[in-house]
Amino acid sequence: MVDWRIVYREIRVERISSDARRLAREYSYRPYMVQRYIEMLGYDETLELLKAFEKKPKPVIRCNDLRVECKWLMERLEELGFKLEHIDWSLHGYRVLKEPRQPSLGATHEYLKGYYYIHRDSPPLIPGLLLEGDREPRKVLDTCAAPGGKATHLAQLMSGEGLVVANDLVLYRLVALVSHVLRMGFRNIVVTWSDLKKLPRLLETRFARVLVDAPCSGEGVIMFDPSRKFKTTQKDLAVIVAREIGLLEAALELLEPNGLLAYVTCSIALEENEYVVSKILARNPSIKVVKPPVKLFKWSSGVKEYMGLELDSSVRECIRVWPHIHGTMGMTICLLTKT
Ligand SMILES: C[S@@+](CC[C@H](N)C(=O)[O-])C[C@H]1O[C@@H](n2cnc3c(N)ncnc32)[C@H](O)[C@@H]1O
């Protein structure tokens, strides 16, 4: 267990500049948040970031090629009045550039028949392609899986073979996951309802691939939920970070030696990403950061210097997707292995 008070003492922002206060007022953020962006990016890029958070990206659908031929699906959706563009680095992702007045994306017969999954944006397609890009059927654990975007992606990439254990703590969220699994027709997903912290004791088996899509502050999805500009106090952030360290540590116990774990947050906060990973590395000498096996597009590297925090230099291998650089929601992904 990591004490959030220790985390708080380490990550607390004490001095807030007049620039940060002014931008925070203008864009309605908590000033400490903007101060951290200035520390990480400098003033000009912070301004670009804040502007990018005001723009909502268009949704993305993932064609379920186990149920339908993707070319046919795209033609059918275009007949209905949708305009789609293939996301070139993803196997099955299409950006929805235009939608008709009716039907909505979630109300077509094709959706109800399980021919596609709706993602808010394209970055959620990255973790699956990093873990299962070679499409080898394996034993995979998605520790925080509901409502199932990434678990169904993993199951699809394994061509409906292998095994995905999709776990979550929250029952009503699992109901949504189960409905996607049934709608899309996956037979290689087993659903469990448990606190991830209890799973190492409950499950005897260990996994070749593990995904931790952590419950985070959501500091990368402000464009979808502007309340996140002021929802999280510095103390709340410390509590979230301490929880993330605990969850990641439990997930690593479930990883086979030489297996691959993806630690993912939809947050651009360094505290929730490079800092969490550095803490894990300092506490567990058998854990290492791994370079991504493929470069899907020109993503940014992890940040290894920030506000005097002690960060492991290997966090540079983490992947960052920034709203102002990539035109998408923010996401951070670190790949880890156990020797
Ligand atoms: C970011 S969401 C996961 C989104 C999902 N991976 C997807 O792609 O659709 C984080 C999830 O973690 C779950 N969660 C929170 N605390 C947990 C815990 N202690 N054990 C397992 N799951 C937990 C939440 O219920 C939530 O569904």
Side-chain angles (χ1 to χ4, degrees):
M1 262 290 279
V2 176
D3 188 337
W4 70 267
R5 280 163 290 230
I6 297 175
V7 173
Y8 178 63
R9 274 202 295 277
E10 286 188 12
I11 67 171
R12 185 174 39 164
V13 178
E14 282 168 354
R15 204 190 70 78
I16 296 173
S17 65
S18 53
D19 277 346
R21 282 189 201 286
R22 188 170 35 75
L23 286 180
R25 233 184 353 261
E26 215 171 297
Y27 287 86
S28 311
Y29 282 72
R30 282 187 183 267
Y32 89 89
M33 293 171 74
V34 179
Q35 181 63 40
R36 286 150 65 245
Y37 304 153
I38 293 178
E39 298 279 353
M40 220 180 337
L41 302 170
Y43 179 86
D44 292 345
E45 238 187 292
T46 296
L47 192 54
E48 284 174 34
L49 174 69
L50 298 180
K51 285 183 185 157
F53 270 137
E54 300 299 307
K55 285 187 230 130
K56 212 175 179 175
K58 301 227 183 272
V60 163
I61 61 170
R62 190 184 82 241
C63 162
N64 179 6
D65 64 340
L66 305 189
R67 279 244 146 144
V68 71
E69 199 205 324
C70 294
K71 188 167 171 293
W72 178 88
L73 176 65
M74 294 315 126
E75 284 167 7
R76 173 74 192 127
L77 290 176
E78 301 225 334
E79 271 169 28
L80 291 173
F82 293 93
K83 191 160 182 290
L84 301 139
E85 184 180 69
H86 185 232
I87 297 167
D88 55 8
W89 53 264
S90 77
L91 288 172
H92 309 108
Y94 296 80
R95 178 85 61 192
V96 183
L97 300 177
K98 206 179 108 216
E99 295 184 47
R101 282 169 75 107
Q102 270 186 337
S104 69
L105 213 43
T108 65
H109 287 159
E110 289 68 24
Y111 177 77
L112 299 172
K113 285 181 186 163
Y115 293 173
Y116 59 91
Y117 188 94
I118 307 169
H119 292 275
R120 279 192 292 195
D121 202 350
S122 56
L125 297 172
I126 304 171
L129 290 170
L130 293 176
L131 291 179
E132 266 302 333
D134 59 1
R135 312 198 75 178
E136 188 74 36
R138 295 187 173 88
K139 220 160 60 179
V140 179
L141 171 66
D142 185 348
T143 60
C144 303
K150 298 180 189 73
T152 54
H153 190 202
L154 287 162
Q156 178 181 348
L157 288 169
M158 295 197 293
S159 309
E161 294 172 19
L163 173 70
V164 178
V165 175
N167 175 74
D168 204 279
L169 176 67
V170 180
L171 191 56
Y172 81 87
R173 291 178 64 89
L174 277 175
V175 172
L177 182 145
V178 169
S179 84
H180 288 306
V181 171
L182 296 176
R183 182 179 62 81
M184 299 183 83
F186 291 109
R187 290 165 172 263
N188 57 341
I189 300 184
V190 166
V191 178
T192 61
W193 174 27
S194 171
D195 184 339
L196 161 56
K197 293 235 194 80
K198 296 187 183 154
L199 277 188
R201 270 180 288 126
L202 292 174
L203 296 179
E204 281 179 11
T205 185
R206 295 298 179 252
F207 296 83
R209 298 286 183 266
V210 175
L211 174 62
V212 185
D213 190 10
C216 67
S217 69
E219 226 179 296
V221 290
I222 287 171
M223 60 280 277
F224 299 117
D225 179 4
S227 74
R228 301 196 185 247
K229 290 180 178 182
F230 42 82
K231 193 163 158 185
T232 312
T233 65
Q234 295 210 61
K235 279 194 181 145
D236 296 335
L237 184 62
V239 172
I240 293 171
V241 170
R243 181 177 68 197
E244 286 165 339
I245 296 171
L247 291 176
L248 180 52
E249 224 153 33
L252 282 161
E253 279 188 57
L254 291 149
L255 185 67
E256 280 175 2
N258 301 318
L260 194 59
L261 178 147
Y263 173 67
V264 181
T265 69
C266 55
S267 171
I268 57 166
L270 181 136
E271 297 85 342
E272 294 185 78
N273 294 293
E274 289 89 339
Y275 173 83
V276 166
V277 169
S278 296
K279 285 279 169 209
I280 293 283
L281 297 178
R283 288 155 65 97
N284 306 274
S286 64
I287 308 299
K288 303 268 175 278
V289 177
V290 178
K291 205 179 156 90
V294 282
K295 181 108 184 173
L296 298 171
F297 59 91
K298 265 178 97 178
W299 48 50
S300 303
S301 308
V303 178
K304 65 178 181 36
E305 271 170 39
Y306 173 78
M307 299 211 312
L309 285 179
E310 250 178 64
L311 300 172
D312 192 287
S313 61
S314 65
V315 296
R316 234 192 122 57
E317 300 295 356
C318 295
I319 295 167
R320 278 186 163 264
V321 185
W322 291 99
H324 64 296
I325 298 176
H326 302 99
T328 62
M329 61 185 265
M331 181 176 267
T332 310
I333 304 160
C334 301
L335 293 179
L336 302 173
T337 192
K338 182 153 80 177
T339 54

